[in-house]
Amino acid sequence: MAETWIRLLGPPRIESPGASPPQPRGRKAWAVLAYLALQAAGTGRSRTAGLLFPDAADPLGALRWNLSELRRTLDGVTMAGDPLRFEMQPPWRCDAAELVGSGAVPRPDPHSLNGQLLEGLSFVDCPVFESWLSDQRYRLENCAQSVLYESSVSAMASGDPREAAELASRALQRDPFHTDCNAVLVRALVAIGEHRHAREHVSKCANLYRDELGLPLPPEIRTALSGAAPETAPGIPATVATVRSYLDAGGASLSAGAVDRGLDQLRLAVVLAQRTPNRHLLAESLVTLAGAMIHQAGGRGAEVADFLHRALSAESPSAVAPSEKYDGASPTAAAAYRELGYLSVQRGVPDRAAGWLERASAAAAGFPEEQARVLAIQGMLASDTARYGDAMDALTASGKLAREMRNRRQQAFSSALLGRVLLLRGELDLAAKTLDHALEWIAAEHWTAFEPFVAGVRGETYLAAGDLEAAAEMIDRSWVMADLAGDHCYMALAAGAEARLFLAHGNLAAAQHWVDRGMEPKPWYLWYSARLLDVAAEVAIAARSERAGEVVERLGALASRSGMREFAVRAQSHRAVLGDETAAQAVPWLAKEIENPALTTFLAARGQL
C-alpha cells in the first residue's frame, strides 16, 4: 500500500506517490493539524479554540469548521473527542509526529528531515500560537539534529562509514559547530580511506572554531584522526577468562580512583573480546567501558555513543547463536539503551531520550537492578520536562527496587533526584527528609563524587525555607567539592545556588559574580545551564541590567529547544516583566499545562496569573 504523507516540516503539504491528493485550505487548518499532531496526549477543544481563534466571535465554531475541512482531505486520519486526539491509520504517516514520537515505528528517515515546522506560514493574529510555534520549531530542529547524529553513529557502528559520513555531513549543514558530528565525519572518512579529506576537515574545523568562536579545536575532533585501539601483549590469549579478568581489574581500578588505569584495562577487555566468538561478552565489555567513560571520566561524545551502538549490534537477536534462547530481555542491552537515554537527557533531547528509555525498560524486564536504574533516568527526564507527577512515581518505584536489591548507591541517586523534584514543587519538609536520607547513604558508601549534587540541592531547600545560615553551609560545601572534582555540571549547580543565596541577601554584585563563575564550566547536562540562566535572569532584572533581555532570550531558546517546559514558562514570565505583552498573554496559557504549586506561587506574586 502506497504511503500518504502529512508533511509538516518544510512548506506543509499532503503527499501521495502517483497522485495529487486534496490539500487543506487555509493556514488555520494547517495550524490545527500541526498542533494536534504534536499533542500526543490530546488537548481540550476549548484550549485549542482559544489558542488558534482568539478573536473569533465563536472560537469553538471556527475550530469545528477547520476540523471538518481537515476530515475532508485526510480520509483515514481521526481528530475527534474532547480532549481532541490525533490518530492515523495506514497508509497515513506524519513526519513531525514521527520525529518526536518516542517509540515511533517506523522511525523517521534521517534523509527526509528538511525544513521548519509549517515553513512559510506566520500567525501574527494569534500571538500565543505564534509563540508555541516558535518553541516547537526549536524542539523539532533539535530532534532532527539528534536523529541525524544518532543515525550517523549507528551507521558507523554497523560498518557503513559512507552512510555515516553522509548523515554527519547533513547534520553539519545545520550546525557546523556540532563537535560530535565533526568527530563522526572524520572517523568515517578515515574508515573509508579518505585520509587527506579527513585531515582537511580537521584543519577546516580548527579555523572555524578559532575564527568564529575564539576557541581551540575540540580534542574529540583531532583524536578522531588516530583512534587506534590499544595494543595487547602478544602472549595474552583472547578467552572469556582473560576478558573477565580485565573487566574485573578495570572495575577495581575505577573503585580505587585510578580512572585512567581503569579505562585502559576496560579498553583492553574490549580488544580481547573482539577476538572471541562470544558476541554477548563483546557487548558487555563495550557497555562497561562506555558506562565508565560516562560516569567516571565525563565522556559524552561520539566515541561513547559508538561503543553503545556497537554493543547493541553485538547483542541483537541476529548476533545470537541459533541454539541460544533470546526473548528480547537483556540487562546488557537495557544498560546500553539506558546510557543512550541518559546522554539524550543530558543533551536536552527529551523526545529521543524517551524512545531510548522505552527500549531500555522493555529489555530490563526480569532484571530488577537494571529496572531501578532505568526508572531513575525516566524520572530524571520527567522532572526536566516538568512532568512532576510522572517523575515522582518513577523515582519512588526506582528507590523501592533499589532498597529491595540492597543497592544503597541507587537508593541515594533516586532519592536525590526525588528530593530535587520536591524542592522544585515547594514541598520543602518532604524534600529535606528525602535529601537527608540520600546524604546518609552517600556517607555510608563513601560516594563523594555524587555529594556535591545532593549538598547543593539540600542547600537550596534550606534557602527556600528561609534558613540562610544552614543554606550557606551546604551550598559552600557543594561548590568546594564540585570545584575540587572539576565536575562542570555540579559547579554550575552550586554556583547557581550561591547566586540565589546572595540574591536572597540583596547582594546583587555577589549574585552576579556567582552567575559569571557558573557560566564558565559549560556543563554537559543542559538542565543545569537552564537553571543557572533562570537565576541569571532574576539577578539581571533586579539589577536593571542592560543584559537582562539577552539572558532571557538565551533561557527561552534553550528551554524551547530542550523541552524544559517550566523554564519556557519562566522565560516568558521574565519577558513579560521586561514589557513583552505577547509573553504576558502566553504565561497563563503555558503555565496551565504544568502542575507545580511553586510555579503558580511565583507567577501569582508577579501578577501573571
Side-chain angles (χ1 to χ4, degrees), residues 77-392:
V77 177
T78 303
M79 287 164 283
D82 193 3
L84 278 166
R85 294 186 184 278
F86 173 87
E87 296 178 354
M88 293 181 296
Q89 300 296 328
W92 287 93
R93 295 178 67 180
C94 175
D95 55 2
E98 288 188 7
L99 182 57
V100 301
S102 60
V105 177
R107 279 176 273 282
D109 176 6
H111 297 277
S112 69
L113 300 176
N114 297 299
Q116 282 192 326
L117 180 65
L118 299 186
E119 190 170 299
L121 300 185
S122 63
F123 299 87
V124 291
D125 55 331
C126 304
V128 178
F129 178 76
E130 183 81 7
S131 176
W132 175 88
L133 180 60
S134 176
D135 286 349
Q136 294 302 305
R137 283 171 172 167
Y138 274 121
R139 173 194 176 192
L140 268 70
E141 173 64 23
N142 194 29
C143 253
Q145 180 76 358
S146 185
V147 167
L148 286 165
Y149 166 60
E150 289 172 3
S151 299
S152 67
V153 173
S154 180
M156 195 69 193
S158 301
D160 191 350
R162 293 191 182 279
E163 175 74 353
E166 181 186 345
L167 293 171
S169 296
R170 281 176 172 265
L172 291 170
Q173 290 172 8
R174 295 169 175 265
D175 178 9
F177 297 101
H178 195 296
T179 299
D180 294 329
C181 285
N182 277 302
V184 172
L185 177 57
V186 172
R187 290 180 59 242
L189 292 171
V190 170
I192 294 167
E194 297 186 14
H195 298 278
R196 182 178 61 81
H197 191 177
R199 288 193 296 272
E200 288 174 352
H201 186 77
V202 170
S203 178
K204 174 185 172 184
C205 285
N207 293 336
L208 186 67
Y209 275 84
R210 183 191 65 241
D211 296 343
E212 299 294 329
L213 302 180
L215 295 174
L217 179 71
E220 298 96 318
I221 301 175
R222 189 178 304 283
T223 56
L225 275 173
S226 55
E231 292 296 326
T232 59
I236 298 178
T239 66
V240 172
T242 56
V243 173
R244 291 277 177 214
S245 296
Y246 273 108
L247 289 174
D248 291 342
S253 296
L254 292 170
S255 296
V259 175
D260 290 341
R261 180 174 176 78
L263 291 176
D264 285 343
Q265 290 164 332
L266 294 179
R267 287 181 185 276
L268 287 170
V270 169
V271 171
L272 290 169
Q274 287 173 326
R275 299 177 188 169
T276 74
N278 191 324
R279 304 296 291 167
H280 172 75
L281 183 63
L282 173 59
E284 183 182 347
S285 301
L286 287 163
V287 169
T288 303
L289 173 58
M293 292 177 69
I294 292 168
H295 302 291
Q296 303 283 342
R300 298 293 188 275
E303 184 184 23
V304 169
D306 176 61
F307 290 150
L308 294 170
H309 281 276
R310 285 167 56 194
L312 289 170
S313 295
E315 191 75 353
S316 68
S318 61
V320 176
S323 60
E324 296 181 61
K325 181 181 178 182
Y326 185 82
D327 60 3
S330 159
T332 301
Y337 286 132
R338 168 176 50 81
E339 296 290 21
L340 287 166
Y342 178 73
L343 293 176
S344 292
V345 170
Q346 293 213 319
R347 289 203 318 269
V349 197
D351 299 293
R352 303 301 301 162
W356 290 122
L357 294 172
E358 280 184 18
R359 281 170 259 180
S361 181
F367 304 100
E369 193 142 359
E370 185 56 41
Q371 287 175 319
R373 296 188 184 103
V374 173
L375 282 164
I377 307 306
Q378 288 177 322
M380 186 181 189
L381 170 62
S383 172
D384 288 2
T385 52
R387 291 173 171 82
Y388 297 120
D390 293 342
M392 289 188 289

Side-chain angles (χ1 to χ4, degrees), residues 464-476:
D467 189 343
L468 303 190
E469 184 175 345
E473 183 177 335
M474 292 297 289
I475 292 170
D476 287 349

Side-chain angles (χ1 to χ4, degrees), residues 546-571:
E546 294 180 354
R547 297 179 56 229
E550 174 195 341
V551 173
V552 171
E553 289 310 307
R554 287 177 61 192
L555 172 62
L558 176 58
S560 298
R561 187 172 68 247
S562 304
M564 299 182 206
R565 299 186 306 151
E566 179 161 336
F567 285 124
V569 174
R570 295 177 74 92

Side-chain angles (χ1 to χ4, degrees), residues 423 426-429 432 458-468 470-471:
L423 166 65
E427 299 178 40
L428 303 181
D429 290 341
R458 184 65 178 98
E460 290 210 46
T461 307
Y462 279 121
L463 177 59
D467 189 343
L468 303 190

